[in-house]
Amino acid sequence: MAKEEKTVKEEKKVEVEDLPGVGEATAEKLRENGYDDILSLAVASPKDLSELAGIGEGAAVKIIASARKFADVGNFESGEEIMKRRQLVKKLTSGSKNLDELIGGGLETQSITEFFGEFGSGKTQIMQQLAVNATMPEEMGGFNCDVLMIDTENTFRPERIIQMAKAKGLDPDETLRRIQVARAYNSHHQILLVEKAIEEAKGRNIKLLIVDSLTSHFRAEFMGRGSLAGRQQMLNRHMHDLLKFGLLNNAVIAVTNQVSARPDVFFGDPTAPIGGNIVGHTATFRIYLRKSKAGRRIARLIDSPNLPEGEVVIQVTEDGISDPPS
Ligand code: GTP
Ligand code: MG
């Protein structure tokens, strides 16, 4: 197989501390609130920055102005270049033909696919199935690749992987070896693990990165303490780091998200659906899962840029995710 082009370059960048007027204490406050790179400062509003970092608005304006000088805002790309990159996109089977069809043939590389739904709706089951499927040969809808998983709720179960691998006729031990899992203990740790994943993937064939759950730490920490704007800033940055992994490795990014009272509100507070919007704007595919009868789940595609909305029925059994018998 031809070696795929790396689509994003990594460069030594200017750090927050390097900006004129930012001392150690200010830098620390900025970092704590998610402003931990130059670009996040360059696009900040003076008001948010001054409130979050406890500095005057005048100082905030100056910091933003100098961040803009140093920010690597990226370049314009021709449609031809974008098309070239799009041609590298591969699709990973979910285990259900119904669901694959709904999302245009499977989960796409270079994109984030989000599964959201209430507890027990099957999000973790789907993540574990995707991990198994990614190790399968391409003829079976897999990538024949290794998998990285960030587990924030300690719900990864090797026993489940073994069941699912056997059902696909794969060697369960080999499958377990190809799936590497890291526990994330809080939102900061979760963010750092994506950087670690980018390191880990260098020179390796890793085409699936899973975060289960994307939002649980952010939500818990926000309910406990901290500012909403700071959390959103961090979540936004996290989503972009994930997307970067997807572009660098031509990988699928699959994440889960819980719902609270309403499916459009992710932070438990119906007056503050913004966390949900941040996730929503960066995830290319969003799939809403609902429980149905007898192990069945309804999967609904929401807000896709180029596919019609619609829903399909899938099932969760001991063998994993599949189509219900018709
Ligand atoms: P939260 O993480 O709590 O938000 O839920 P989730 O959406 O991740 O739910 P999860 O994927 O863990 O789904 C759990 C459900 O999957 C169980 O309640 C069962 O209905 C189903 N399930 C899990 N394992 C098996 C299995 O071995 N056999 C069958 N038939 N169903 C299973
Ligand atoms: Mg779960």
Side-chain angles (χ1 to χ4, degrees):
M1 193 178 67
K3 197 169 180 310
E4 281 164 5
E5 280 175 57
K6 294 286 179 190
T7 45
V8 177
K9 289 197 187 76
E10 283 195 88
E11 286 161 16
K12 174 87 194 92
K13 52 181 183 185
V14 181
E15 300 291 344
V16 176
E17 290 81 358
D18 303 333
L19 292 175
V22 177
E24 227 169 83
T26 311
E28 195 169 315
K29 269 191 205 157
L30 293 173
R31 286 188 185 281
E32 268 171 13
N33 286 292
Y35 293 102
D36 54 2
D37 63 9
I38 300 295
L39 190 57
S40 65
L41 287 168
V43 300
S45 85
K47 190 166 170 290
D48 283 354
L49 195 59
S50 111
E51 277 172 16
L52 285 170
I55 53 178
E57 220 166 302
V61 169
K62 279 192 194 140
I63 291 174
I64 292 167
S66 57
R68 285 189 178 165
K69 281 193 209 132
F70 289 109
D72 177 9
V73 294
N75 296 312
F76 286 92
E77 275 182 303
S78 69
E80 192 188 15
E81 285 170 308
I82 295 168
M83 188 64 211
K84 245 195 202 158
R85 191 167 69 225
R86 287 288 305 160
Q87 280 164 351
L88 295 174
V89 166
K90 294 168 184 270
K91 292 180 182 184
L92 172 65
T93 182
S94 65
S96 153
K97 287 204 175 68
N98 293 345
L99 179 53
D100 289 352
E101 262 169 44
L102 180 73
I103 55 179
L107 282 82
E108 285 192 359
T109 59
Q110 303 177 24
S111 295
I112 299 176
T113 302
E114 175 200 353
F115 289 86
F116 69 103
E118 63 171 355
F119 68 93
S121 59
K123 303 180 294 292
T124 295
Q125 299 304 311
I126 292 177
M127 293 306 110
Q128 300 191 105
Q129 184 73 61
L130 289 171
V132 170
N133 291 357
T135 70
M136 298 192 303
E138 301 209 2
E139 312 85 78
M140 291 172 71
F143 294 160
N144 191 18
C145 70
D146 293 350
V147 176
L148 297 181
M149 183 188 280
I150 298 174
D151 180 8
T152 72
E153 300 185 306
N154 200 16
T155 50
F156 174 79
R157 292 289 173 274
E159 298 84 352
R160 249 342 239 144
I161 299 293
I162 292 172
Q163 288 174 330
M164 291 173 178
K166 281 186 182 159
K168 294 284 184 193
L170 305 170
D171 174 354
D173 294 331
E174 175 64 14
T175 309
L176 280 175
R177 267 196 293 277
R178 298 185 78 173
I179 302 170
Q180 285 175 275
V181 185
R183 284 283 315 276
Y185 296 101
N186 58 44
S187 61
H188 290 278
H189 188 205
Q190 185 175 331
I191 285 173
L192 286 177
L193 281 171
V194 181
E195 281 170 27
K196 176 96 177 162
I198 289 175
E199 280 303 306
E200 189 69 39
K202 279 186 183 150
R204 288 182 57 190
N205 179 29
I206 297 177
K207 295 213 163 331
L208 173 62
L209 173 62
I210 291 168
V211 187
D212 182 15
S213 136
L214 176 75
T215 44
S216 58
H217 284 314
F218 288 91
R219 176 158 68 177
E221 291 163 21
F222 163 62
M223 304 249 253
R225 64 185 156 82
S227 80
L228 177 59
R231 289 292 136 195
Q232 285 168 266
Q233 180 71 27
M234 282 176 64
L235 191 52
N236 188 31
R237 186 226 151 151
H238 185 45
M239 294 294 285
H240 283 95
D241 287 349
L242 289 170
L243 203 50
K244 179 172 163 190
F245 184 98
L247 293 170
L248 278 168
N249 296 288
N250 194 24
V252 166
I253 310 295
V255 304
T256 68
N257 198 347
Q258 253 223 1
V259 296
S260 50
R262 286 164 37 192
D264 56 333
V265 177
F266 297 90
F267 276 77
D269 175 0
T271 62
I274 308 130
N277 287 343
I278 282 195
V279 176
H281 289 151
T282 322
T284 317
F285 298 93
R286 315 191 81 186
I287 298 156
Y288 176 40
L289 294 167
R290 299 197 309 280
K291 285 186 246 187
S292 178
K293 282 172 278 191
R296 296 184 181 199
R297 302 288 187 277
I298 298 159
R300 178 171 189 82
L301 180 66
I302 312 265
D303 285 348
S304 162
N306 53 2
L307 292 167
E309 279 208 7
E311 53 182 44
V312 296
V313 183
I314 63 174
Q315 70 175 4
V316 185
T317 69
E318 187 179 318
D319 287 349
I321 305 297
S322 59
D323 291 325
S326 42

